[in-house]
Amino acid sequence: MHSERDSETTFEEDSQPNDEVVPYSDDETEDELDDQGPAVEPEQNRINREAEETRETLRKDCTWQVKANDRSFHEQPHFMNTRFFCIKESKYANNAIKTYKYNAFSFLPMNLFEQFKRAANFYFLILLILQAIPEISTLAWYTTLVPLLVVLGITAIKDLVDDVARHKMDNEINNRTCEVIKDGRFKVAKWKEIQVGDVIRLKKNDFIPADILLLSSSEPNSLCYVETAELDGETNLKFKMALEITHQYLQRENSLTTFDGFIECEEPNNRLDKFTGTLIWRNTSFPLDADKVLLRGCVIRNTDFCHGMVIFAGADTKIMKNSGKTRFKRTKIDYLMNYMVYTIFVVLILVSAGLAIGHAYWEAQVGNYSWYLYDGEDYTPSYRGFLNFWGYIIILNTMVPISLYVSVEVIRLGQSYFINWDLQMYYPEKDTPAKARTTTLNEQLGQIHYVFSDKTGTLTQNIMTFKKCCINGQIYGDHRDASQNSHSKIEQVDFSWNTFADGKLAFYDHYLIEQIQSGKESEVRQFFFLLAVCHTVMVDRMDGQLNYQAASPDEGALVSAARNFGFAFLARTQNTITVSELGTERTYDVLAILDFNSDRKRMSIIVRTPEGNIRLYCKGADTVIYERLHQMNPTKQETQDALDVFASETLRTLCLCYKEIEEKEYEEWNKKFMAASVVSSNRDEALDKVYEEIEKDLILLGATAIEDKLQDGVPETISKLAKADIKIWVLTGDKKETAENIGFACELLTEDTKICYGEDINALLHTRMENQRNRGGVYAKFVPPVHEPFFPPGENRALIITGSWLNEILLEKKTKRSKILKLKFPRTEEERRMRTQSKRRLEARKEQRQKNFVDLACECSAVICCRVTPKQKAMVVDLVKRYKKAITLAIGDGANDVNMIKSESRPWPMPLELPERRNGMDVLGGYRHLTKALTHDEDTCDMPNKSSRWGSLALFISLFYIHVDLFCFPFLAAVPP
């Protein structure tokens, strides 16, 4: 029998959450956790289940079929879908895109339909119809038609201008050209003429017109470098690699013309980083993944030419699948205007009804005996009152301000120009003025109560510099000479002995250089060799110099550091990697790359040395590395102590380890790896399971420490925001110690701040829940709620909470339940009712717990949530908006911040054009712009004020125009005939 207590998570019953571990995956659901099978499964059952899953996968998942150089294949009847009545179209979209809303035929009806959704416009349309009825008309019809046409015309012209700009942009993109195989050779064709299955050629700096499978390129092993700024904003180059067989046989034009490969893959979707498919060619199947697909919107870089086969075109491409519908955003002024218009409607109806009743009464008592009232002698008083009701609706129409919406739009447009012209919001370092990209939400600037900010790239510069390291338990990076003597002032290390040094690394520990050159400790050289090998960085030579292109600044900093210390990464192919080890070039065979992802939080590479030995090198977060270390690691505790020291200095850390692999062990593992790499369904999960088998019993080498400096002026900006009574919440995935030290560095936390942690507030919330439960009862709903502060007034407090404690406190914790064979019997009506009531109680308890947490957090001057997932970032923003009804601002610069920004019930995109916040670009201008908008100037800021001058100006002018519309416009109406 299940009870309410069985499903609850309480403070006393559960173990303490782990502050170092990031919570469950964002894609993991309660059902998935429950449905995981038993640990031990019979072999025959496993074989049968896998065979059935494979058959189901082929039938369901891989339903998108593409054949190369065969357009007629995709026009077969079974690929046709009914669009409208008997009209059928192919399910494969053409490559022309359409972002505009109207065409020449649909503009007038669609635009009028959208405009008449506004209550005021619809009211005046009804009014115009009433005025056309002679029995009730008291004003000429043109007195309403003319102002209504003016309002509709102004709005229609504005919408038309915006849509014409969209048409021009679509035409510009659709008419771009590339080379497509037609009639046996490459011919120039427009993008809109490309179809699924076409083989195309792209050259350096060309935009990719569709989602294509990379077949070959001019680079060794058909590598292709792409810039994905249009997709994720990252300016670092990413590399893609073609299949070895297509690289070998599809280099020439004649071979591409006769290519007849067949692809079975997943249906079009919006997952930018995932792709599952199979290429069938020459009676052989080859697995396809995201590393072999070039997405529309990317740009070919550092590659002379490449060939590809179109898989998804036009609206089916991943970038178009991610371009959701534009949501109409409303501000408080909009809601206020709608409320006022609805209120005026009610008042107008009541006044007209009162006058009509009075008229009917007067008509019955006096009207029929008046000689000058002769037009309605044949009508009854009640019917005359009914007609006069509509007459009063017409004659009092000026109570509804028809120009209200236009007036506010004009105000906002003028306000946007004031923002653009404001010299105090100009950032001279980047030559960046403020630019209002929208005129919808400008007045919201002065009404922000909470700012949710990411840390990396937002508070910090996202320019990574190698500062320190720990090798074999010893810390390197302090100021000391070659004899290990520490000095307060010491000269910078001279890397002139290294021909590959770039001269950009500032390092002061001469003893580390001595250890590298002497070779006394093999672990030191092994440490930097790992940094030079275990990565996905691409290299190209420009004017004889090595130029690294990394997918992340962290990885680029580590490879550059290894280069300066004598272990330079020189080149890579599909199966090899070349490294200069203290001047000696050596080439290693790459047997497998175990990719990094947000769940694994580590990356590994398996290489074969020229001597024939096989080794696995791995780098990753300390939490996942320490779980996979061999029991006999003598420097485990010393490295952990070093990690704590690095975290206290706000440095970003990674652990490095390696493992020797026997030939037989590798061969057995490689069979499983190859089998998992061709699985069509749940390929990522299958690969992760295989990776786990080899990434164990690792030997710890040490840890790296990278510095990510704060943006210039961040402490001053946060201080000004605090004066404006704006709360700052930092949401980051970093360790608790790192996040806390960043809080002190940016002066979000001070020495006088009393810090509360997850375990502290969990006890407070548990006590509050018990008190609320004890006060509850039959008459609880009739007792007004009492606001009880969690902390005594007058104290400066801050909250630092990890993702694990966040799940514990908000009752979001998910645990795997043991699978026990249970016989399920039909439940009685009483059991169903009891179960439903239990669920409702749990939901009510969860909601109350969330509300208490928000109340407690809002009593703190600052909140830092660390070790949180993107889903938790969005959840925190949503909770504050839901329970505080406040206007919030979410700032982020990476893909993990998208959920946080999109969680806004009324999304608030920054009206100001901020400088880039990623890859080392300065964000100070953005913060300075925001500070200028939210506070007064420093010279005149005597009192805290959270209303910007622009927000105040917009509110004042808007209310003034509303006043004019309500009270002055009626006197300007046309005189009745």
Side-chain angles (χ1 to χ4, degrees):
M1 180 177 178
H2 296 278
S3 64
E4 179 182 350
R5 299 285 296 176
D6 294 336
S7 301
E8 292 181 1
T9 303
T10 59
F11 177 71
E12 295 89 1
E13 294 171 357
D14 292 343
S15 59
Q16 299 294 306
N18 189 348
D19 286 337
E20 299 300 323
V21 177
V22 177
Y24 57 86
S25 169
D26 296 334
D27 298 329
E28 202 170 31
T29 63
E30 190 81 36
D31 296 336
E32 291 170 350
L33 292 169
D34 292 345
D35 292 341
Q36 295 184 10
V40 180
E41 183 178 13
E43 183 67 18
Q44 187 59 42
N45 290 355
R46 183 184 63 80
I47 296 174
N48 295 339
R49 177 176 54 81
E50 290 180 353
E52 182 63 25
E53 287 177 353
T54 303
R55 286 194 294 269
E56 289 294 328
T57 298
L58 293 176
R59 288 196 299 265
K60 295 181 179 179
D61 293 344
C62 296
T63 57
W64 191 263
Q65 300 176 343
V66 180
K67 191 172 183 180
N69 292 319
D70 189 356
R71 292 189 173 185
S72 61
F73 174 81
H74 307 101
E75 298 175 358
Q76 298 180 63
H78 59 276
F79 291 138
M80 308 297 285
N81 295 330
T82 302
R83 298 295 184 185
F84 183 74
F85 289 107
C86 298
I87 300 177
K88 291 188 176 183
E89 295 180 0
S90 174
K91 73 172 186 177
Y92 298 93
N94 58 35
N95 202 44
I97 64 169
K98 183 182 74 171
T99 61
Y100 57 84
K101 296 171 59 178
Y102 315 109
N103 56 38
F105 301 100
S106 64
F107 171 72
L108 191 59
M110 288 186 61
N111 188 262
L112 289 177
F113 176 75
E114 291 180 356
Q115 292 201 56
F116 282 122
K117 286 183 178 180
R118 288 181 170 178
N121 293 342
F122 184 74
Y123 164 77
F124 280 97
L125 176 64
I126 298 298
L127 194 66
L128 182 62
I129 296 174
L130 293 177
Q131 286 181 330
I133 303 175
E135 287 80 1
I136 60 176
S137 178
T138 55
L139 296 174
W141 56 270
Y142 55 81
T143 59
T144 299
L145 179 62
V146 172
L148 180 60
L149 288 178
V150 171
V151 172
L152 296 178
I154 292 175
T155 307
I157 291 173
K158 177 185 174 183
D159 294 340
L160 180 61
V161 170
D162 293 340
D163 209 56
V164 167
R166 297 190 191 101
H167 272 275
K168 291 181 178 179
M169 185 177 298
D170 290 348
N171 290 333
E172 178 186 351
I173 294 175
N174 290 331
N175 290 322
R176 289 176 178 173
T177 59
C178 68
E179 294 182 278
V180 182
I181 286 185
K182 289 183 178 181
D183 302 327
R185 66 186 186 89
F186 281 108
K187 295 182 178 180
V188 176
K190 296 180 179 180
W191 278 20
K192 62 184 179 182
E193 299 172 355
I194 296 175
Q195 295 185 17
V196 171
D198 287 350
V199 176
I200 64 177
R201 174 190 288 166
L202 300 173
K203 298 180 180 179
K204 187 176 181 179
N205 297 328
D206 282 351
F207 280 90
I208 300 173
D211 292 351
I212 65 175
L213 170 67
L214 179 63
L215 299 177
S216 61
S217 76
S218 58
E219 296 297 310
N221 286 0
S222 287
L223 291 174
C224 183
Y225 303 93
V226 295
E227 180 183 287
T228 59
E230 292 287 334
L231 300 181
D232 54 16
E234 297 285 349
T235 57
N236 296 319
L237 296 187
K238 315 266 190 321
F239 77 93
K240 304 291 183 177
M241 187 179 298
L243 290 169
E244 187 173 359
I245 187 171
T246 59
H247 158 70
Q248 184 177 358
Y249 294 103
L250 298 179
Q251 290 287 351
R252 299 180 180 274
E253 184 174 346
N254 56 357
S255 60
L256 290 165
T257 302
T258 58
F259 175 59
D260 60 349
F262 182 77
I263 293 178
E264 287 185 342
C265 64
E266 61 190 13
E267 291 283 330
N269 56 66
N270 60 357
R271 298 191 299 270
L272 295 174
D273 58 341
K274 292 184 180 181
F275 178 82
T276 303
T278 304
L279 171 65
I280 303 173
W281 188 40
R282 296 187 174 185
N283 299 322
T284 308
S285 298
F286 305 94
L288 303 177
D289 54 26
D291 291 334
K292 297 173 178 60
V293 177
L294 308 181
L295 301 183
R296 178 178 180 135
C298 299
V299 184
I300 304 295
R301 301 291 191 195
N302 299 349
T303 305
D304 292 335
F305 65 85
C306 68
H307 304 109
M309 170 184 169
V310 178
I311 302 176
F312 304 126
D316 292 332
T317 58
K318 292 184 179 290
I319 189 174
M320 294 303 295
K321 287 289 185 181
N322 278 277
S323 59
K325 294 183 179 180
T326 303
R327 296 178 57 187
F328 184 74
K329 308 172 186 66
R330 295 181 179 273
T331 65
K332 287 188 175 181
I333 293 294
D334 292 322
Y335 286 100
L336 174 62
M337 289 191 299
N338 287 338
Y339 174 77
M340 293 177 62
V341 170
Y342 293 141
T343 303
I344 293 172
F345 283 165
V346 174
V347 173
L348 176 62
I349 292 174
L350 293 178
V351 171
S352 299
L355 292 174
I357 294 173
H359 178 84
Y361 176 78
W362 185 87
E363 190 73 27
Q365 299 297 324
V366 181
N368 287 338
Y369 304 102
S370 301
W371 60 269
Y372 53 87
L373 295 177
Y374 57 88
D375 58 329
E377 293 180 348
D378 299 333
Y379 297 153
T380 62
S382 59
Y383 183 68
R384 287 174 61 86
F386 172 76
L387 294 178
N388 278 276
F389 169 78
W390 299 108
Y392 286 121
I393 290 288
I394 295 173
I395 201 170
L396 297 176
N397 71 84
T398 51
M399 291 181 62
V400 179
I402 189 172
S403 63
L404 177 62
Y405 293 102
V406 177
S407 301
V408 174
E409 290 295 333
V410 171
I411 293 167
R412 288 172 174 165
L413 180 63
Q415 179 192 7
S416 66
Y417 283 103
F418 279 117
I419 293 177
N420 295 342
W421 296 336
D422 192 350
L423 293 178
Q424 296 182 0
M425 298 175 71
Y426 171 73
Y427 186 50
E429 283 79 358
K430 297 292 181 181
D431 189 24
T432 304
K435 184 175 182 180
R437 292 193 175 274
T438 177
T439 59
T440 307
L441 304 170
N442 294 349
E443 67 267 22
Q444 298 277 75
L445 273 173
Q447 305 172 36
I448 295 173
H449 289 75
Y450 297 90
V451 175
F452 298 91
S453 175
D454 180 38
K455 184 184 75 67
T456 305
T458 307
L459 294 177
T460 58
Q461 295 182 14
N462 205 21
I463 301 178
M464 309 301 177
T465 306
F466 184 87
K467 296 296 291 184
K468 294 184 177 181
C469 61
C470 175
I471 307 175
N472 203 21
Q474 183 171 358
I475 297 178
Y476 298 92
D478 297 324
H479 292 196
R480 56 182 177 178
D481 57 23
S483 302
Q484 302 190 56
N485 298 319
S486 300
H487 298 281
S488 58
K489 292 184 179 180
I490 197 169
E491 294 182 358
Q492 185 174 322
V493 170
D494 183 14
F495 291 104
S496 59
W497 56 272
N498 181 8
T499 58
F500 291 102
D502 58 6
K504 299 178 181 178
L505 178 63
F507 201 75
Y508 300 92
D509 193 344
H510 294 259
Y511 180 63
L512 178 58
I513 305 299
E514 173 66 22
Q515 291 290 88
I516 293 175
Q517 294 177 339
S518 65
K520 296 179 181 178
E521 293 190 16
S522 60
E523 289 83 358
V524 176
R525 292 189 175 183
Q526 190 87 321
F527 181 90
F528 288 103
F529 173 77
L530 188 153
L531 294 180
V533 170
C534 186
H535 56 78
T536 59
V537 175
M538 303 307 299
V539 60
D540 58 75
R541 293 180 180 267
M542 298 180 61
D543 301 328
Q545 298 293 326
L546 297 177
N547 183 26
Y548 291 148
Q549 296 289 344
S552 67
D554 305 66
E555 199 166 52
L558 293 177
V559 177
S560 296
R563 166 187 178 177
N564 285 279
F565 285 109
F567 292 80
F569 162 58
L570 300 181
R572 80 160 68 237
T573 66
Q574 193 168 9
N575 300 316
T576 63
I577 186 168
T578 303
V579 178
S580 172
E581 303 176 25
L582 298 176
T584 303
E585 289 191 16
R586 289 167 62 89
T587 300
Y588 296 83
D589 294 331
V590 178
L591 303 180
I593 295 179
L594 285 56
D595 298 327
F596 173 90
N597 60 46
S598 58
D599 292 329
R600 283 171 40 80
K601 293 185 284 294
R602 63 189 182 278
M603 176 203 171
S604 301
I605 186 172
I606 301 177
V607 299
R608 189 191 299 273
T609 66
E611 294 77 18
N613 300 324
I614 300 177
R615 287 181 180 174
L616 179 144
Y617 294 99
C618 179
K619 66 179 181 182
D622 55 335
T623 54
V624 296
I625 295 298
Y626 268 63
E627 294 174 355
R628 292 159 178 81
L629 293 179
H630 193 277
Q631 294 181 355
M632 300 300 295
N633 269 281
T635 62
K636 187 175 181 179
Q637 185 58 44
E638 289 83 352
T639 305
Q640 182 60 54
D641 296 338
L643 289 171
D644 296 337
V645 172
F646 297 155
S648 65
E649 298 175 4
T650 69
L651 302 177
R652 301 165 63 90
T653 59
L654 281 178
C655 287
L656 310 183
C657 54
Y658 74 99
K659 173 186 178 180
E660 298 281 351
I661 302 177
E662 298 292 335
E663 184 73 32
K664 183 178 180 181
E665 179 186 359
Y666 168 73
E667 290 179 356
E668 294 177 355
W669 177 84
N670 190 49
K671 293 179 182 178
K672 299 179 182 179
F673 172 70
M674 296 303 296
S677 63
V678 297
V679 173
S680 299
S681 177
N682 299 324
R683 182 180 296 176
D684 292 339
E685 291 79 359
L687 286 173
D688 288 346
K689 186 181 298 184
V690 176
Y691 294 164
E692 288 285 349
E693 296 182 9
I694 199 71
E695 291 176 326
K696 60 183 180 180
D697 297 332
L698 304 176
I699 299 175
L700 184 64
L701 274 176
T704 61
I706 300 175
E707 182 182 28
D708 187 7
K709 291 184 178 181
L710 282 176
Q711 299 280 0
D712 297 333
V714 166
E716 294 81 5
T717 300
I718 290 180
S719 174
K720 288 187 176 183
L721 294 176
K723 289 181 180 179
D725 195 25
I726 296 175
K727 301 292 182 64
I728 310 294
W729 291 35
V730 178
L731 312 178
T732 179
D734 283 341
K735 295 177 61 176
K736 181 171 69 174
E737 293 80 3
T738 304
E740 183 174 343
N741 283 280
I742 286 292
F744 280 105
C746 65
E747 298 183 8
L748 195 62
L749 308 176
T750 62
E751 295 298 333
D752 299 332
T753 303
K754 185 173 182 180
I755 301 177
C756 300
Y757 298 98
E759 53 270 25
D760 304 324
I761 68 167
N762 195 30
L764 288 174
L765 293 174
H766 179 72
T767 304
R768 177 62 58 88
M769 289 292 294
E770 290 295 331
N771 294 338
Q772 291 173 344
R773 187 179 301 177
N774 294 334
R775 285 199 301 265
V778 179
Y779 302 102
K781 61 177 68 177
F782 302 105
V783 179
V786 180
H787 176 69
E788 300 178 8
F790 286 88
F791 305 111
E795 294 185 2
N796 186 19
R797 294 180 181 269
L799 171 62
I800 298 179
I801 186 170
T802 59
S804 299
W805 273 111
L806 199 61
N807 281 345
E808 175 81 11
I809 290 171
L810 301 180
L811 304 182
E812 295 285 346
K813 187 176 178 182
K814 297 181 181 180
T815 56
K816 297 181 181 179
R817 300 190 181 98
S818 60
K819 284 287 183 177
I820 303 176
L821 181 61
K822 297 181 180 180
L823 297 178
K824 295 185 178 180
F825 298 96
R827 292 192 180 94
T828 63
E829 188 64 30
E830 181 66 19
E831 289 177 342
R832 293 195 187 96
R833 188 178 61 83
M834 294 294 295
R835 186 177 180 83
T836 302
Q837 291 180 355
S838 177
K839 288 183 178 180
R840 289 176 179 174
R841 285 195 297 269
L842 290 176
E843 289 297 325
R845 180 176 181 271
K846 180 178 178 179
E847 183 177 351
Q848 185 61 45
R849 180 94 166 187
Q850 292 175 346
K851 185 177 184 305
N852 290 341
F853 168 75
V854 173
D855 292 338
L856 184 148
C858 291
E859 291 185 18
C860 301
S861 58
V863 178
I864 299 177
C865 299
C866 49
R867 281 293 197 228
V868 290
T869 64
K871 184 177 180 180
Q872 288 178 315
K873 290 184 177 183
M875 180 180 64
V876 170
V877 177
D878 182 68
L879 288 178
V880 174
K881 291 189 66 66
R882 187 192 313 168
Y883 295 113
K884 289 300 179 180
K885 309 296 182 185
I887 296 176
T888 62
L889 168 63
I891 303 176
D893 70 333
N896 61 331
D897 303 313
V898 173
N899 286 343
M900 172 178 69
I901 298 173
K902 288 177 65 177
S903 67
E904 304 269 351
S905 57
R906 295 188 299 275
W908 195 83
M910 283 292 290
L912 307 178
E913 182 183 14
L914 305 183
E916 290 288 343
R917 292 190 291 273
R918 60 187 90 247
N919 301 325
M921 301 300 288
D922 198 346
V923 74
L924 173 60
Y927 274 99
R928 184 176 290 117
H929 293 167
L930 181 60
T931 305
K932 290 289 187 180
L934 295 175
T935 61
H936 292 293
D937 296 289
E938 187 175 359
D939 299 334
T940 60
C941 186
D942 299 327
M943 298 180 62
N945 193 332
K946 64 184 177 186
S947 296
S948 72
R949 48 188 172 177
W950 300 126
S952 302
L953 179 63
L955 184 61
F956 173 79
I957 298 179
S958 299
L959 293 178
F960 174 78
Y961 267 78
I962 291 172
H963 174 82
V964 170
D965 278 321
L966 287 178
F967 298 101
C968 301
F969 188 81
F971 299 102
L972 304 178
V975 180

